[in-house]
């Protein structure tokens, strides 16, 4: 089935499919390990529906800048921020409806950049990574957790085959990118990398990569 033949699918349905998919417990466990490390001025690129909001330690955060070009995803996040229990986040969170390839922030103005499950979707991840480097202060860090190209040849072949149709269903997500390689090629040193396989029911997502990176 060609999902792009249904004009409203990508606009109205895919954001909810992505939101529900990314709400799975497997992702929450990974978010829990990475997101609470953010501190200072934080820019989250590919903020989506705000699924990381509950994991930020707001006592460590001066300002949270949420960047995502998809208004549908941001509107789900806005509803979350409007809820009472997230009032601390609401006070310090600014939503920017722009792509990560052109971040409207000054050079060296951010202490922590956060990217979770978005390098798979950002159309030009190399440009977004260059922008992240530009806005990070000296000593700043990029925290990430991502899915990507599997270490197993059979799974890799299937990821290549399924990539097109998967992208239509899942809001432009690519199965076969290599997040570690992309981050390193953009001039970062990857630290504390944890690489695991996704559980069996999520096998198309391949391997999971989590850690932090610093500009070299
Ligand atoms: C799979 S979702 C992940 C959302 C969120 N980071 C999470 O962990 O739940 C990928 C997100 O990347 C966003 N995205 C797409 N193109 C982008 C771009 N050029 N710059 C930044 N984010 C983008 C999508 O709108 C979507 O919200």
């Amino acid at each position: 089935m060609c999902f792009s033949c249904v004009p409203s699918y990508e606009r109205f349905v895919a954001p909810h499919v992505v939101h529900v998919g990314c709400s799975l417990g497997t992702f929450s466990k990974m978010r829990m390990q990475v997101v609470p490390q953010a501190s200072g001025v934080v820019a989250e690129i590919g903020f989506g529906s705000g699924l990381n909001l509950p994991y930020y330690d707001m006592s460590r955060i001066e300002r949270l800048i949420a960047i995502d070009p998809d208004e549908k995803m941001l509107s789900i996040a806005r509803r979350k921020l409007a809820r009472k229990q997230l009032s601390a986040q609401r006070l310090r969170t600014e939503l920017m409806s722009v792509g990560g390839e052109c971040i409207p922030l000054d050079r060296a103005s951010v202490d922590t950049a956060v990217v979770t499950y978005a390098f798979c979707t950002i159309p030009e991840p190399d440009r977004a990574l260059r922008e992240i480097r530009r806005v990070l202060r000296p000593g700043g860090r990029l925290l990430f957790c991502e899915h990507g190209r599997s270490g197993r040849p059979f799974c890799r072949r299937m990821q290549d085959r399924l990539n097109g149709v998967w992208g239509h269903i899942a809001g432009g997500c690519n199965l076969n990118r290599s997040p570690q390689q992309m981050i390193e090629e953009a001039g970062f040193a990857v630290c504390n990398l944890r690489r695991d396989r996704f559980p069996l029911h999520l096998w198309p997502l391949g391997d999971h990569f989590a850690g932090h990176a610093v500009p070299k």
Side-chain angles (χ1 to χ4, degrees):
M1 179 175 179
C2 173
F3 286 83
S4 57
C5 299
V6 186
S8 51
Y9 177 85
E10 283 179 11
R11 199 154 155 231
F12 297 108
V13 184
H16 295 282
V17 170
V18 172
H19 170 68
V20 170
C22 290
S23 305
L24 293 174
T26 306
F27 295 100
S28 309
K29 278 188 213 143
M30 307 299 180
R31 298 178 193 284
M32 233 176 262
Q33 290 170 27
V34 170
V35 179
Q37 298 173 46
S39 62
V41 176
V42 178
E44 182 177 333
I45 292 88
F47 186 72
S49 55
L51 286 168
N52 287 329
L53 279 170
Y55 305 106
Y56 281 110
D57 176 354
M58 290 312 274
S59 66
R60 293 159 53 95
I61 291 178
E62 208 175 300
R63 189 177 160 209
L64 172 60
I65 303 143
I67 292 172
D68 198 296
D70 189 328
E71 259 306 321
K72 271 268 162 212
M73 297 299 282
L74 289 182
S75 70
I76 303 175
R78 267 190 207 99
R79 284 202 291 279
K80 268 205 193 106
L81 282 163
R83 281 192 219 130
K84 245 199 180 131
Q85 66 266 36
L86 291 173
S87 54
Q89 280 94 330
R90 185 173 64 223
L91 286 176
R92 291 179 220 159
T93 308
E94 295 154 50
L95 271 51
M96 290 184 174
S97 178
V98 292
E101 292 92 341
C102 195
I103 301 176
L105 295 175
D106 291 340
R107 178 176 296 279
S109 60
V110 165
D111 298 293
T112 314
V114 175
V115 182
T116 65
Y117 313 112
F119 283 134
C120 54
T121 304
I122 296 175
E124 295 178 83
D126 49 338
R127 272 186 67 200
L129 276 156
R130 281 203 298 276
E131 276 293 86
I132 292 170
R133 259 192 81 122
R134 182 184 66 79
V135 300
L136 273 179
R137 286 193 177 125
R141 299 194 302 170
L142 162 64
L143 306 177
F144 64 91
C145 51
E146 289 291 325
H147 68 85
R149 201 154 178 75
S150 170
R152 289 157 292 154
F154 176 74
C155 185
R156 271 207 302 273
R157 280 200 299 279
M158 293 310 290
Q159 287 181 309
D160 288 338
R161 281 194 196 156
L162 291 173
N163 198 52
V165 71
W166 183 274
H168 287 303
I169 297 169
C173 169
N174 287 277
L175 292 171
N176 54 4
R177 287 186 179 170
S178 302
Q180 180 187 354
Q181 194 182 331
M182 287 184 328
I183 294 169
E184 286 172 345
E185 282 176 2
F188 287 87
V190 171
C191 317
N192 291 347
L193 180 75
R194 202 179 136 190
R195 183 171 179 168
D196 307 287
R197 284 183 191 178
F198 267 91
L200 200 58
H201 63 287
L202 291 173
W203 71 265
L205 297 179
D207 287 355
H208 186 271
F209 302 76
H212 73 264
V214 291
K216 278 196 257 188

